[in-house]
Amino acid sequence: MTRSRQLLTLTLVVLLANPLLAAPAAAQSLSLGGGGPLSPAAADAVDWFGYSPHDDAVRYGDSSDKVGVFVETASADDLDSLQDWANGTPATVLETDAGRHTALIAVEPSQIKYSLTEPDRLPMWGDSGQPLAALNYVERVDLELEVSTVDPIRNLESADSVDVEPPGATAATVLNDGTFGKGMAYDGDSPETYIRDVRPYVDADAVSENGSGVNVAVIDSGVNIGDGRVFGNGSIGSDLRVGDGHDFVEDEPITAANGYENVSDPNGHGSWVGSAAVGADGMAPGATLMPYRALDAEGSGSTSDIVKSVRRADRQGADILVMSLGSPVWNDQLATELEYALSEEGNVTAAFVAAGNSYQTGIARWTASPSDVPEVIGVQSTDAAPPANATKSYYGNVGPDTGGDLSTGESRGVTPDTAAPGQNLTAPVFTDSGTFRNTTLSGTSMAAPVAGGVGALALEANPGLEGDAETFHDRVIESGAKTPNLGTTESEGGMIDAERLVNGNTTDPAPERDLNATAAGRDTANRSLAGQPGFLKAGSRFLGNAAEAVGI
């Protein structure tokens, strides 16, 4: 697979007489930069200048001197060899998966690969001190990263207070009629809108389905379930529509007996997302909620907890995933898990993922990860308005993705797949102390559950699509409502439309919609900017913190 960016690589050149050649380890083991079994994130974190993983690497140990890495071996039996390697070293095997012959290990950065900064530590072949990249049964090493919701946008910006044109972008706009900041929705362009009043904008009231029989997994900071006013029929004491769930932050299952408190949400983000998707006033008020807590009270979580949430949701029968989380750095392990869940071997039909809120921040303007995994449905945010009038929220990330996110090009060209209202929306939630209240938020985090709830309506109406993620993905795009103010780099399929999606109406697909001059101009500008060398979504650690979480 072709890499999307050049990684500095220095390979030792040795003579035949050199004793290092006496062992059968692969030649790639001596690579002191990228290449070999190391993912780009792992190679970038520990290169030939020394050992310095970027700030969002998950840390272990009392002094945080170890980082988490995912290791894939050639076979399940090799996991025993990996354990033998770890014994007697600073490394600790935290968990293993024999079925996929993978392990999560806490290691000192110097145990990942060789470095020129300490040449005296280069081991002889066969030495138990060999780093992971030199072990001939190791096929992949990927850094465990923090992924986050950060804070949704609570205070919208005005048009004159936000500079959405990144440095150097003038060259990308000089030959077209649009600019990056025109024709988008800012503060004052969208009145506060209650979540049930969003339903007509996505045609949810035009169908008879309510999501009954569809399982919607919310992977977030937890969900405060409450007394039936949100996840029942809207009245106190009504039967709760809650299925399987788990708190992976504290590793506790949820139970009805304790009021589902094990998955309580101290952050509030996940509770809002769940309410918008399947709450009594949400898009799919008959669907079953499957809450998985993978993010802590600050809205941040490890790759491993998010991966375990996706895996459990898949195995427990989730039909739809809603994930309002992300980072500008590609996450190999999470991408792989989502790809599996959405494959023929998995059970999930669709994953609706927030596109990110960093359009105005320069290099992080491109689709956030994992919304840039081609198999998922990335969701853009608009103001709360009918499709014909809806405009892109100023903060929403766009495509075409540059692939410059350490994804080795897998995300190149990806754009948000659909859009939904996500600006200045109010939804009923419970706090973790049991208080019932309305909360107003903005962000692609808010648009993703709106789209995910609409997806549940369509799946109820079309059970034959269950497990057919590719067809469902394409139908969401092709059935979207026409949105002349929303460019195709901002949402390939326009705004999601429940009636068209339920009825399979793709005779007049949204991608062929007529755009106004301003939206078309932004498309030209986005495509031009994405094609300019150096405009990467995330850089190496030499450009600063490559994986500062995207606010979604």
Side-chain angles (χ1 to χ4, degrees), residues 237-260:
S238 55
D239 291 340
L240 296 173
R241 296 171 286 108
V242 182
D244 181 70
H246 196 91
D247 178 354
F248 285 103
V249 176
E250 302 293 340
D251 193 21
E252 296 177 331
I254 66 168
T255 65
N258 67 6
Y260 303 104

Side-chain angles (χ1 to χ4, degrees), residues 152-184:
I153 297 173
R154 299 175 187 275
N155 297 300
L156 295 168
E157 300 283 353
S158 61
D160 58 2
S161 66
V162 178
D163 182 8
V164 297
E165 184 168 317
T170 301
T173 60
V174 69
L175 298 179
N176 66 75
D177 296 328
T179 61
F180 289 98
K182 287 185 178 179
M184 297 189 296

Side-chain angles (χ1 to χ4, degrees), residues 226-286:
D227 58 15
R229 280 179 282 180
V230 177
F231 299 110
N233 65 12
S235 61
I236 295 175
S238 55
D239 291 340
L240 296 173
R241 296 171 286 108
V242 182
D244 181 70
H246 196 91
D247 178 354
F248 285 103
V249 176
E250 302 293 340
D251 193 21
E252 296 177 331
I254 66 168
T255 65
N258 67 6
Y260 303 104
E261 66 179 30
N262 286 355
V263 77
S264 64
D265 174 19
N267 180 277
H269 187 273
S271 297
W272 198 103
V273 169
S275 178
V278 302
D281 289 343
M283 300 304 109

